[in-house]
Amino acid sequence: EVQLVNSGGGLVQPGGSLRLSCAASGFTFSNYWMSWVRQAPGKGLEWVANIKQDGSEEHYVDSVKGRFIISRDNAKNSLDLQMYSLRAEDTAIYYCARGGTHYYSSGIKYFDYWGQGTLLTVSS
Amino acid sequence: SALTQPASVSGSPGQSITISCTGTGSDLGGYEYVSWYQRHPGGPPKLIIFDVSNRPSGVSYRFSGSKSGNTASLTISGLQTEDEADYYCSSYTSWNTLYVFGTGTKVTV
């Protein structure tokens, strides 16, 4: 059974940093692009970042470029999102999701499994 | 920017409803990579349609998807109370954001 388990959320002051993690199991993690998707309170879903199977390629939504770093450890079947210079508008539930492949790569162009989500609150 | 969906759609048990998702030639109109997600309160999104009209294993046949030009649609037939949830469309996009989601539609049964 495919499982994605999110962890690491919490309350952070503006300007602070936090690292989110996602533990994957039940599938060959190294075969898939992985993504982070967030949902701010009262808002819709927003794709945040993705990373290629071997970690050699990453993409980000413009609003987090230069502040967030997505990474993965295929030996540990884990996906991380390191967040810096956090802003109030980053407050959201963050989900890791399997998929979200870049157009020029083979792989699924959708998100077929999702973690349960972890809440990040940026507030003073 | 986000794909446009109606804020809410309602129907009676057994009826059919259709949710529209409108974009541009840079997303819906340019790619056959449309997906739909169902989200019940407090839970994560669940994939119900991928690549415009394909259903993942285990998803009810009552869910079907289509696309014409810059507009995609999700139809739920034989509406059931368990279908009451939020629904989001998504598409690959040529914009830097790579993937864009719809504004979301609350379905009430």
Side-chain angles (χ1 to χ4, degrees):
Chain A
E1 178 193 5
V2 173
Q3 280 198 319
L4 297 171
V5 179
N6 288 122
S7 62
L11 174 62
V12 179
Q13 291 190 337
S17 303
L18 196 69
R19 189 179 190 93
L20 305 181
S21 295
C22 173
S25 61
F27 66 101
T28 304
F29 183 70
S30 59
N31 284 354
Y32 291 86
W33 281 71
M34 296 294 295
S35 297
W36 286 96
V37 178
R38 67 184 179 184
Q39 184 164 28
K43 303 283 188 178
L45 297 167
E46 179 184 39
W47 173 83
V48 174
N50 65 359
I51 185 167
K52 195 175 181 179
Q53 291 97 325
D54 61 0
S56 62
E57 190 175 329
E58 309 153 27
H59 300 274
Y60 301 89
V61 67
D62 284 348
S63 60
V64 308
K65 280 181 182 176
R67 300 190 300 121
F68 289 13
I69 300 173
I70 187 173
S71 62
R72 63 191 297 161
D73 185 335
N74 287 343
K76 296 181 178 179
N77 292 341
S78 66
L79 177 74
D80 287 346
L81 186 68
Q82 178 67 53
M83 303 178 292
Y84 300 98
S85 302
L86 284 164
R87 307 166 180 168
E89 53 265 37
D90 295 319
T91 294
I93 298 173
Y94 285 74
Y95 300 96
C96 62
R98 191 174 82 168
T101 305
H102 192 283
Y103 180 74
Y104 295 111
S105 290
S106 63
I108 58 176
K109 310 299 193 290
Y110 48 88
F111 311 95
D112 61 350
Y113 288 94
W114 298 64
Q116 84 282 13
T118 187
L119 177 62
L120 165 68
T121 303
V122 183
S123 174
S124 55
Chain B
S1 60
L3 306 173
T4 302
Q5 297 179 233
S8 63
V9 174
S10 63
S12 300
Q15 286 187 329
S16 293
I17 61 170
T18 297
I19 302 169
S20 63
C21 172
T22 303
T24 69
S26 295
D27 37 65
L28 292 179
Y31 304 93
E32 298 300 301
Y33 298 128
V34 182
S35 51
W36 288 88
Y37 302 87
Q38 177 192 62
R39 184 172 180 272
H40 286 107
K46 174 189 174 184
L47 177 70
I48 56 173
I49 294 289
F50 67 93
D51 295 349
V52 178
S53 59
N54 294 284
R55 275 189 314 275
S57 173
V59 172
S60 173
Y61 68 93
R62 299 183 298 103
F63 294 93
S64 61
S66 63
K67 184 173 81 80
S68 177
N70 297 340
T71 299
S73 299
L74 173 72
T75 297
I76 310 174
S77 59
L79 208 56
Q80 299 180 0
T81 55
E82 67 209 51
D83 299 332
E84 195 162 282
D86 293 327
Y87 292 82
Y88 295 89
C89 59
S90 179
S91 172
Y92 191 89
T93 173
S94 58
W95 295 105
N96 285 341
T97 188
L98 293 192
Y99 286 89
V100 62
F101 286 90
T103 49
T105 298
K106 182 176 181 59
V107 168
T108 302
V109 181

